Amino acid sequence: MPDPIAIATTRDGLRAICATLRDGGHSLALVPTMGALHAGHLALVAEARRRADRVIVSVFVNPTQFAPHEDFDRYPRRLDADATMLAEAGADLVYAPDAASIYPPGDSTQVHVSGVSEPFEGSFRPHFFGGVASVVARLLIHAAPDVAVFGEKDFQQLAVIRRMTLDLGLPVAIVGAPTVREEDGLALSSRNAYLDPAQRAVAAILPATMLAMRDALRRGADAGEAEATARAALIAAGFGPVDYCSAARADTLEPVLTGAVAPGDFGNTRLLFAAWLGSTRLIDNCGLDG
Ligand code: AMP
């Protein structure tokens, strides 16, 4: 059994421990999460350990990225289990800030990233990326890591964070790590816990449909037709509504609405999916070249 991991619950506490972690010139990596950790998060921790000497994992269910009707209240919270997993994974510190460390009383500062945050998630969850950018900017400023690791599972989020980091000149390298999946292809997600067994069985149809769309596009299918086929397959399987199941330029997130994708563009094309299964919303994505 590894020793229990240190947990900082305030911004000042974090800064004091970060100074100690940096003693001797050690580099720091940060892995931001909302907790309820699974193997996808632990893969980010492993990547962080490859990139830096010391690893901090933040656990904060960020209220500003949830709309009032969304699942902030029922989002799973299990800090003790998370801390045990992180100790075993070789992380050095958990930052589980109290709300006032992130949003001091009277807080009036939001970070808004335009462009890349507007389509897809941005149009279905208009509050979302403002909340994400506002919390990630604060976490990066508090921990001042050399490297921060994010999952490609949230591909548009990664693009928004890269844009924000560039624009604000934050001195941190942003690293994306591949999506970790269940054996049947379902991307690991803390929200998978909401699925009942019947829904869980159906859930794997989402990545299967995405891969079928990828294969069709690689064979030269029209993007609009491939999207319609994918949407119909998801609806037939019991998903609904399907928020999007589209091809997009990987760098700008600009949707590819019609026409075949040229083989030379496969590397810069991403398929982005979001669909509801009962009261659970699943998202996924993949490249056209992988
Ligand atoms: P969350 O706790 O869901 O906000 O996610 C925290 C970080 O873990 C984000 O960078 C996510 O993209 C990443 N992540 C979530 N699920 C996975 C997964 N299945 N594979 C890889 N990274 C993931």
Side-chain angles (χ1 to χ4, degrees):
M1 270 283 277
D3 288 341
I5 193 166
I7 302 182
T9 57
T10 65
R11 189 174 53 197
D12 292 345
L14 170 77
R15 287 196 164 127
I17 300 177
C18 283
T20 311
L21 290 176
R22 280 195 178 279
D23 264 357
H26 293 306
S27 57
L28 279 188
L30 174 69
V31 180
T33 81
M34 297 206 301
L37 301 181
H38 51 63
H41 297 112
L42 298 184
L44 304 189
V45 174
E47 183 62 28
R49 290 187 72 191
R50 287 190 282 276
R51 304 265 182 168
D53 303 319
R54 301 283 184 260
V55 174
I56 303 165
V57 179
S58 62
V59 175
F60 181 66
V61 184
N62 173 37
T64 63
Q65 69 190 67
F66 291 81
H69 61 276
E70 292 184 341
D71 58 342
F72 177 74
D73 288 335
R74 72 168 179 148
Y75 198 87
R77 289 163 174 85
R78 35 178 189 256
L79 184 58
D80 290 348
D82 290 346
T84 303
M85 287 168 77
L86 291 171
E88 282 166 5
D92 298 283
L93 175 67
V94 178
Y95 181 36
D98 52 29
S101 286
I102 300 293
Y103 301 113
D107 179 77
S108 310
T109 304
Q110 291 92 41
V111 179
H112 171 75
V113 180
S114 54
V116 78
S117 71
E118 286 162 13
F120 301 108
E121 285 300 278
S123 62
F124 286 92
R125 303 180 70 198
H127 57 284
F128 179 65
F129 286 124
V132 168
S134 294
V135 74
V136 172
R138 284 161 173 77
L139 293 170
L140 293 174
I141 290 167
H142 298 176
D146 302 284
V147 177
V149 185
F150 297 86
E152 287 182 353
K153 159 77 172 26
D154 300 281
F155 190 81
Q156 189 175 10
Q157 171 174 286
L158 177 57
V160 169
I161 289 164
R162 284 192 198 285
R163 185 73 248 173
M164 174 190 80
T165 302
L166 189 69
D167 293 348
L168 297 181
L170 298 175
V172 57
I174 303 298
V175 170
T179 301
V180 177
R181 298 177 180 281
E182 303 278 8
E183 239 168 60
D184 63 2
L186 180 65
L188 297 188
S189 165
S190 308
R191 289 190 167 101
N192 292 352
Y194 301 154
L195 299 170
D196 66 30
Q199 291 171 329
R200 173 62 192 81
V202 170
I205 293 174
L206 187 138
T209 304
M210 185 173 73
L211 292 184
M213 180 170 169
R214 179 193 68 179
D215 293 345
L217 289 174
R218 286 175 61 86
R219 289 193 303 268
D222 173 83
E225 285 171 21
E227 175 176 339
T229 303
R231 183 176 292 273
L234 291 173
I235 300 284
F239 287 87
V242 175
D243 286 351
Y244 53 83
C245 54
S246 308
R249 308 258 177 254
D251 52 358
T252 60
L253 275 296
E254 190 191 336
V256 179
L257 298 175
T258 57
V261 180
D265 292 334
F266 286 177
N268 189 33
T269 303
R270 204 85 191 172
L271 302 188
L272 300 166
F273 276 53
W276 290 86
L277 194 50
S279 59
T280 305
R281 187 170 181 274
L282 300 177
I283 68 167
D284 206 343
N285 71 88
C286 69
L288 218 54
D289 56 351

